[in-house]
Amino acid sequence: MRDVNTVYQTLMAYLGYNPVVLVLFLISLYVVVNEEKEHRKRYVLVCFFSLLFIFNDVVRRILGLFTGISTYYRFFWAVPFLFLGVKAAMDVVGRTSGRAWRFLTVLLLALCVYLGRVGTVPLSRDMVPDNIYNLSNDVIAVSDMIKKDKSVEQPRVVADFQMQMELRCYDATLIWGIGRTPYELATKGDWYAEGRYEKDMSIVRMVCNGFQEDADYVRNALEKRKVDYVVTYSDFGLNAYLEEIGYAVIGKSATRTIYGKQQ
């Protein structure tokens, strides 16, 4: 029954962390209580099985393989409450009568629009994106230099986490050289993870923090992952270090230096 206990603990954590969840939950109860008996059974079963499956460690791990564990709940936890909440709101609107109720309905809708930041948002000059992609010019510059230099259609690239994600968003042909997991381990504070990702972590420490560890070890890690390009902050001063490993400078953006594997 461990997973059932997890269901309860996770649900309580969400209810305590985000009051919006509690509001949606109460709206869901409203729908169940006010529906016809036959429909009421269906709503109860939908809520029960949704909670049982969504807040379950086993299901989380399985679906997490496809969505990523860190983003799992973002997409799945609110599904049963969201649709029931919308239906309850529509029921309330449909049952309103009289000027007072209509005024209250309009007021609540206006409040939802305002709090949801829906509509035209004035942008200050500082908020205007640098380009139509709304990505930093650094990302575009790095991508363009790799595009001009590459000899394969889908080169493997390693960079700091933010740059890596934005490069992939801008140019889908650039492959994550070591995948997401090593970065996620670093984000959690496990910079020296052992086992499967031990060598990958040496690359993460280099591109994120500028560490210059044993050159042969890092070279072996890069060769294992068949990395074509390394992107690091220019301030790290890794030119000589990476040249020793076998990567030469092919260009620089405002903050980063791009190193290509020497043939």
Side-chain angles (χ1 to χ4, degrees):
M1 299 298 289
R2 180 182 66 85
D3 288 319
V4 175
N5 186 49
T6 302
V7 171
Y8 173 79
Q9 291 178 342
T10 307
L11 178 59
M12 289 302 103
Y14 269 89
L15 292 179
Y17 173 74
N18 189 347
V20 174
V21 181
L22 179 59
V23 173
L24 292 174
F25 183 72
L26 293 176
I27 293 177
S28 301
L29 292 181
Y30 165 85
V31 173
V32 172
V33 170
N34 285 275
E35 279 298 326
E36 298 177 2
K37 185 176 181 180
E38 192 62 33
H39 291 162
R40 192 181 304 168
K41 293 179 182 178
R42 295 180 182 179
Y43 283 128
V44 170
L45 290 175
V46 167
C47 284
F48 175 76
F49 284 111
S50 295
L51 287 174
L52 185 62
F53 291 137
I54 292 172
F55 292 101
N56 185 292
D57 266 1
V58 175
V59 178
R60 178 178 67 88
R61 290 195 185 102
I62 294 174
L63 291 180
L65 295 175
F66 303 97
T67 65
I69 290 294
S70 61
T71 59
Y72 169 75
Y73 285 120
R74 187 188 310 166
F75 293 104
F76 291 100
W77 74 263
V79 170
F81 299 131
L82 181 59
F83 292 109
L84 291 177
V86 171
K87 187 181 186 307
M90 295 303 295
D91 287 346
V92 172
V93 173
R95 295 173 185 176
T96 56
S97 61
R99 291 184 178 180
W101 279 107
R102 290 174 184 173
F103 175 77
L104 179 61
T105 301
V106 173
L107 181 64
L108 288 174
L109 289 174
L111 185 63
C112 287
V113 170
Y114 174 75
L115 294 178
R117 298 295 190 270
V118 177
T120 303
V121 179
L123 296 176
S124 66
R125 180 170 296 180
D126 295 336
M127 296 172 64
V128 176
D130 293 331
N131 48 71
I132 60 173
Y133 304 102
N134 200 17
L135 294 170
S136 70
N137 289 328
D138 249 3
V139 173
I140 297 175
V142 169
S143 178
D144 288 346
M145 280 183 273
I146 292 177
K147 185 177 181 179
K148 291 179 181 178
D149 183 79
K150 69 180 183 180
S151 57
V152 294
E153 181 62 27
Q154 295 182 301
R156 304 180 69 89
V157 182
V158 292
D160 57 275
F161 198 19
Q162 185 67 31
M163 173 62 72
Q164 192 84 56
M165 290 190 297
E166 293 186 358
L167 279 174
R168 177 65 178 174
C169 288
Y170 180 69
D171 186 351
T173 66
L174 302 180
I175 299 176
W176 285 61
I178 56 175
R180 291 175 177 265
T181 302
Y183 294 102
E184 291 173 352
L185 290 171
T187 301
K188 295 176 182 177
D190 193 3
W191 289 89
Y192 291 87
E194 298 180 352
R196 179 181 176 184
Y197 298 104
E198 188 172 350
K199 287 188 175 181
D200 292 340
M201 296 309 296
S202 67
I203 299 175
V204 172
R205 292 191 294 270
M206 176 182 66
V207 295
C208 293
N209 297 329
F211 286 10
Q212 300 184 33
E213 300 176 5
D214 182 75
D216 290 334
Y217 186 82
V218 177
R219 182 190 300 109
N220 184 264
L222 291 168
E223 288 177 352
K224 179 182 177 182
R225 291 299 186 182
K226 299 179 180 179
V227 174
D228 298 298
Y229 295 95
V230 176
V231 181
T232 69
Y233 284 98
S234 299
D235 291 343
F236 289 161
L238 297 179
N239 291 11
Y241 175 72
L242 278 166
E243 187 173 352
E244 180 184 355
I245 291 177
Y247 289 81
V249 176
I250 67 166
K252 292 185 177 183
S253 66
T255 63
R256 264 80 164 190
T257 299
I258 305 94
Y259 303 87
K261 187 175 182 179
Q262 295 176 323
Q263 301 300 325

